[in-house]
Amino acid sequence: MSDINTQRRQFLKTSAGAAAVAIAPGMLLYQVAHGNTQAASSKVRWGMLIDTTQCKEGCNDCVGACNKENGLSGGTKATDPQWIRKIELKDIGSGRVTSLPMMCQHCEHPPCVDVCPTQASFKRADGIVLVDRHRCIGCRYCMMACPYKARSFVHEPLENQNPDVPRGKGTVEACSLCVHRIDKGQIPACAEACENKAILFGDLNDANSEIHKKVRSVASVQIRADLQLNTGVRYQGL
Amino acid sequence: MRLLASLLLCLCIPAAWAAEANAPKLDIGLGGQCVKDTQWMRKNHMHLLKHQREETVRKGIREEKDALKNCVECHASAGDNSVTAREDSFCVGCHRYAAVKIDCFECHASKRKATLAKKDEQ
Amino acid sequence: MADLSALRSMNRLFYVLLALGGLVALGGAYAVFMMEHHGHVISGMNNQIVWGMPHVFAIFLIVAASGVLNVASIGSVFGKAIYKARAPLASLLSIAMLSGGLAVLMLDLGRPDRIIVAATNYNLTSVFAWNVVLYSGMFSLVIVYLWTMMERRMNIFNKAAGLAVFAWRFILTTGTGLIFAFLTARQAYGSALLPPMFIVLSFAWGLAVFHVVQAVIYAWNEKTLDPAILHRKKNLLGVFVIGSLYMVAAYHLTNLYFAHQTAFENFILRDGGMFPNLFWWGYIVIGNLIPLLLIYAPGLGKNKSVMAASLLVVLGAFALLYVFIIGGQAFPLSIFPGYEVSSSFADGQIASYQPSLYEFLLGFGGLAIAFIITTVSVRVLNFMPQDKPYISD
């Protein structure tokens, strides 16, 4: 292998990189102006890695950010929707206390999608599990099937919804991973709001992404792994 | 009941089209150029919207031009910033006239985003 | 003269009954209107107890609708004459209860106006969607079956239709059981025993409803049921009741056998407040033991006590379904086994549920629909069992 060859490769790489850097902002600008006209790709698998050792007991920042972003009231009556909630865990054996946020785990094999009679519950190509509120008939079978109690039913008529997040009475809803933000190239509101950076968001399939590397290097678990749903949200430090 | 009602509605619609000539006066909103030809929109806006929502919700294709938000941004009244607040509001007038009932604004915001944001800050 | 006035007062009674049924159905319609206007906040259901009282009524009606056909099947599939004479009435009851149950289920939806969506977007993996097909199929099959019985020229197809109904009804009740059996994440459900359990329960509940209605029709027509027939049918009810008791016991015992389910069983059978009470007193004592006593105790087992036994079996059915559906959801979902959990979303807590008046109105509305269909049909067509003077088999 000659030196020249390596140099040539190096040059090609650099210039390709430079070209990418030059074009990318243009692409971004285009996206902002016209919306993301690309369909979600099945090469991507959006997910989260939640570091419970960084999650503070009593801190509710992620919940507050979610409520604000998605226009939830923040009420905690039994009939109020909650897309994300903080759970405090106490190990019965050792007494160790852990705190973590719980939301839709965006399963690869979501039970809610299996049971939905109208295909309103569906998994987008990039792994986000959503409710198509135009098809949902409000039967609540998905809520029965979800192992994480991630879904809520809208029990009351709503007003003044966020234009980016339509919500309405009589349908089931849940964490959408802030799909409207993801499609704009932003990260979910909860991940952005966490001061301790306990929520790492990214593409589990992208070998260069931080989340991909971290999931490979640190021990993480899926909740109710026994059900073999292959969740997109993973927890570390449990 | 509802089924019966909607059947009756379907029967009424051709009649409504026939009476197109004296359609109600509408508050068009900001004006400018609609996303498609006006004539075409009059007849086909529901197909456009329903196609668009499948594309956006299920596939993640967000063509902002055809988004419902965008219709509201442009068509909301210059007076009250809404497409549904009054009898002659853009998305109300025709539908009332043609006896069509839409539920879109039970979930979707019927006001301009800017005015909603302002209200949040207050 | 006396005869005529008696006839007239019977006639009046019929319209009074019909009006009462209509009133209750109207109450149901009112509940639907209110729930659609205000949303499900006015029901007792919430994000923890997502299925409530309406589902107890609906599932009872649907399960009993399948079970009542047992009477018809014994007649047409196994060729027993006394059952054959009762097949038309059984089929009618099945259609009536199916209509009532489905109406409740549908009107409880968050968006009942979108029911057409359920027909146009079909999800092959959803048990719910299968059930939509099973219910509508059953409906049409039973109507055809009735037709083959009532129209002389169609009699030749009677046997085939009877067989089809017989098979379909097994699949249907299996489907109802599967709705719960597939919920593997929840401790209360996700058991392979549920479909057979529901099938046996349906036999008992269906026959109980049949007995009640038959007794009323005989009384109305001032006829008495042949004691020999009563004797055979009450024994059948006894066998079904014992069978369902066995299935329910098997379900709970297998749960107790699996270590991770014992907490749930302790809750339902011992510690869960109203749930163990309803289970032991409501289902076991009122719904099984007393009826068995009424059927088998020497000196009892006459017309009145069989009627009472049947009514108690129905009451017990509601108790069992309440414990099964509400109790099963009230027990906290185990998301983090081995941890004590708490949150703002009732994690680790027993969920509370207060059924509201609207839910009862809706449920009774379903019963009223079944009642109206039955009363009117019995009045208009001849559903009175026609027994031959002797019993051949």
Side-chain angles (χ1 to χ4, degrees):
Chain A
M1 211 41 89
S2 75
D3 238 18
I4 296 185
N5 228 339
T6 0
Q7 271 179 10
R8 185 174 56 94
R9 278 207 196 135
Q10 198 57 47
F11 170 76
L12 279 176
K13 263 191 200 158
T14 333
S15 42
V21 169
I23 293 168
M27 297 273 283
L28 269 177
L29 274 179
Y30 177 82
Q31 284 197 358
V32 171
H34 297 270
N36 187 355
T37 52
Q38 296 280 307
S41 158
S42 56
K43 294 204 184 74
V44 175
R45 170 103 200 265
W46 295 119
M48 282 179 168
L49 178 63
I50 293 170
D51 185 351
T52 58
T53 59
Q54 295 303 312
C55 180
K56 275 202 305 243
E57 202 186 328
C59 167
N60 245 347
D61 288 356
C62 51
V63 179
C66 174
N67 290 342
K68 183 155 183 296
E69 179 66 34
N70 295 299
L72 277 76
S73 72
T76 54
K77 286 199 308 290
T79 47
D80 286 328
Q82 298 185 36
W83 289 14
I84 181 172
R85 62 190 190 269
K86 282 293 295 289
I87 297 188
E88 314 289 340
L89 300 174
K90 194 167 146 208
D91 192 320
I92 294 171
S94 67
R96 188 171 75 109
V97 175
T98 319
S99 180
L100 53 79
M102 187 76 206
M103 71 293 253
C104 173
Q105 303 285 297
H106 298 280
C107 311
E108 186 187 351
H109 309 292
C112 53
V113 172
D114 286 342
V115 301
C116 177
T118 62
Q119 295 180 335
S121 287
F122 70 102
K123 188 170 58 119
R124 223 170 72 152
D126 53 5
I128 306 178
V129 176
L130 294 170
V131 185
D132 183 344
R133 255 69 59 81
H134 306 107
R135 279 197 202 177
C136 175
I137 56 174
C139 73
R140 298 146 11 243
Y141 197 17
C142 54
M143 298 174 73
M144 291 289 272
C146 177
Y148 309 102
K149 289 205 303 184
R151 289 196 162 179
S152 290
F153 181 67
V154 183
H155 287 79
E156 292 167 273
L158 301 176
E159 275 172 3
N160 292 325
Q161 291 92 326
N162 175 352
D164 287 327
V165 189
R167 301 172 52 227
K169 184 196 78 190
T171 55
V172 174
E173 56 182 27
C175 157
S176 65
L177 271 186
C178 283
V179 61
H180 58 289
R181 290 170 60 97
I182 291 180
D183 287 350
K184 274 190 283 193
Q186 298 171 325
I187 66 171
C190 56
E192 193 176 80
C194 183
E195 276 184 3
N196 284 1
K197 308 247 175 300
I199 305 178
L200 174 63
F201 168 83
D203 176 4
L204 290 164
N205 285 350
D206 175 2
N208 293 320
S209 71
E210 201 183 338
I211 189 169
H212 179 94
K213 289 179 194 152
K214 210 156 166 200
V215 164
R216 301 193 77 178
S217 59
V218 302
S220 66
V221 294
Q222 306 182 20
I223 311 287
R224 289 296 312 263
D226 55 317
L227 297 172
Q228 300 191 310
L229 305 173
N230 190 13
T231 58
V233 178
R234 316 280 168 85
Y235 290 82
Q236 154 189 4
L238 263 186
Chain B
M1 265 311 283
R2 271 169 183 270
L3 208 74
L4 204 76
S6 40
L7 273 176
L8 278 176
L9 260 179
C10 291
L11 291 176
C12 292
I13 284 158
W17 282 119
E20 186 76 36
N22 45 3
K25 232 184 108 43
L26 290 173
D27 185 342
I28 296 289
L30 294 188
Q33 193 73 83
C34 197
V35 293
K36 290 241 164 63
D37 169 58
T38 309
Q39 274 302 332
W40 189 91
M41 283 305 279
R42 195 172 292 162
K43 275 215 166 68
N44 298 309
H45 60 281
M46 46 286 189
H47 305 308
L48 178 83
L49 286 169
K50 284 186 179 166
H51 174 74
Q52 179 62 22
R53 77 181 187 193
E54 290 287 296
E55 297 284 298
T56 304
V57 177
R58 300 190 83 90
K59 297 193 199 140
I61 301 173
R62 292 183 186 263
E63 176 63 70
E64 266 180 25
K65 181 168 68 67
D66 294 345
L68 189 52
K69 283 178 282 214
N70 198 32
C71 326
V72 174
E73 283 302 310
C74 205
H75 279 294
S77 156
D80 56 19
N81 290 310
S82 168
V83 287
T84 55
R86 299 193 318 265
E87 297 267 307
D88 68 338
S89 290
F90 189 74
C91 299
V92 175
C94 290
H95 294 161
R96 176 162 307 199
Y97 179 75
V100 181
K101 204 170 161 345
I102 59 167
D103 62 3
C104 316
F105 298 110
E106 276 176 34
C107 297
H108 289 269
S110 58
K111 289 196 167 157
R112 267 198 198 90
K113 196 171 181 178
T115 60
L116 285 169
K118 221 181 278 159
K119 217 181 62 229
D120 261 4
E121 279 158 24
Q122 278 167 9
Chain C
M1 223 32 221
D3 242 353
L4 203 64
S5 74
L7 206 67
R8 225 178 259 142
S9 77
M10 286 298 269
N11 223 347
R12 199 170 309 139
L13 184 60
F14 170 74
Y15 284 110
V16 169
L17 280 178
L18 207 60
L20 275 178
L23 215 63
V24 177
L26 219 60
Y30 172 70
V32 171
F33 169 77
M34 291 297 277
M35 252 167 22
E36 238 192 281
H37 190 258
H38 295 282
H40 277 62
V41 265
I42 62 165
S43 77
M45 291 176 271
N46 53 52
N47 283 325
Q48 311 299 330
I49 308 285
V50 304
W51 287 350
M53 215 57 206
H55 301 81
V56 171
F57 278 87
I59 292 175
F60 171 77
L61 282 168
I62 290 168
V63 170
S66 142
V68 74
L69 283 171
N70 218 30
V71 175
S73 298
I74 299 175
S76 57
V77 178
F78 303 111
K80 305 276 186 213
I82 64 161
Y83 291 100
K84 201 155 187 169
R86 281 160 182 76
L89 181 58
S91 309
L92 169 67
L93 280 175
S94 173
I95 289 180
M97 288 196 282
L98 200 58
S99 315
L102 288 184
V104 174
L105 215 52
M106 238 142 72
L107 293 172
D108 173 72
L109 293 176
R111 303 284 314 233
D113 53 315
R114 287 185 179 166
I115 195 65
I116 199 81
V117 174
T120 48
N121 297 295
Y122 194 78
N123 181 6
L124 281 175
T125 63
S126 168
V127 189
F128 244 30
W130 302 348
N131 275 296
V132 173
V133 172
L134 288 175
Y135 295 150
S136 35
M138 169 114 144
F139 214 85
S140 353
L141 264 183
V142 175
I143 287 178
V144 169
Y145 180 50
L146 257 179
W147 187 33
T148 64
M149 286 188 284
M150 301 203 118
E151 165 74 54
R152 196 151 301 187
R153 279 173 302 163
M154 293 293 290
N155 278 174
I156 40 165
F157 300 113
N158 179 251
K159 184 108 192 172
L163 262 174
V165 166
F166 177 69
W168 197 271
R169 138 183 102 76
F170 267 97
I171 302 172
L172 180 124
T173 322
T174 305
T176 310
L178 282 180
I179 289 179
F180 294 97
F182 277 7
L183 299 175
T184 45
R186 295 203 179 237
Q187 291 88 327
Y189 312 127
S191 158
L193 272 178
L194 291 178
M197 180 175 106
F198 268 89
I199 289 182
V200 179
L201 287 173
S202 83
F203 290 173
W205 300 350
L207 192 58
V209 171
F210 185 84
H211 275 167
V212 173
V213 175
Q214 177 179 253
V216 172
I217 292 182
Y218 270 78
W220 184 277
N221 290 309
E222 289 168 346
K223 293 207 172 130
T224 39
L225 187 59
D226 183 341
I229 295 178
L230 181 73
H231 186 75
R232 289 176 58 173
K233 304 222 27 221
K234 76 158 204 196
N235 281 346
L236 189 64
L237 182 63
V239 169
F240 287 163
V241 167
I242 293 169
S244 54
L245 207 52
Y246 169 77
M247 287 309 293
V248 172
Y251 158 74
H252 285 293
L253 287 174
T254 45
N255 268 354
L256 277 170
Y257 180 77
F258 295 112
H260 58 277
Q261 305 282 50
T262 43
F264 166 69
E265 286 299 326
N266 288 341
F267 170 75
I268 284 288
L269 300 180
R270 198 185 65 206
D271 309 326
M274 83 170 300
F275 298 115
N277 275 329
L278 260 181
F279 181 79
W280 292 109
W281 293 111
Y283 178 66
I284 300 288
V285 175
I286 295 180
N288 288 285
L289 298 183
I290 299 182
L292 286 177
L293 203 72
L294 285 169
I295 291 170
Y296 286 123
L300 292 173
K302 300 278 148 43
N303 231 333
K304 282 226 173 70
S305 44
V306 173
M307 170 88 166
S310 303
L311 279 173
L312 290 180
V313 167
V314 171
L315 272 184
F318 276 87
L320 180 70
L321 282 175
Y322 190 91
V323 172
F324 180 71
I325 296 174
I326 316 285
Q329 296 172 81
F331 186 73
L333 197 58
S334 160
I335 306 178
F336 295 96
Y339 288 94
E340 237 170 61
V341 295
S342 64
S343 79
S344 61
F345 202 58
D347 285 291
Q349 292 166 28
I350 289 151
S352 67
Y353 170 69
Q354 293 287 337
S356 81
L357 179 65
Y358 297 105
E359 287 170 81
F360 282 105
L361 283 180
L362 180 56
F364 277 106
L367 293 183
I369 290 176
F371 173 80
I372 294 172
I373 294 179
T374 314
T375 343
V376 171
S377 311
V378 167
R379 181 86 178 171
V380 177
L381 297 166
N382 184 12
F383 281 101
M384 179 78 195
Q386 309 288 339
D387 283 312
K388 304 208 176 75
Y390 64 92
I391 301 164
S392 54
D393 46 21

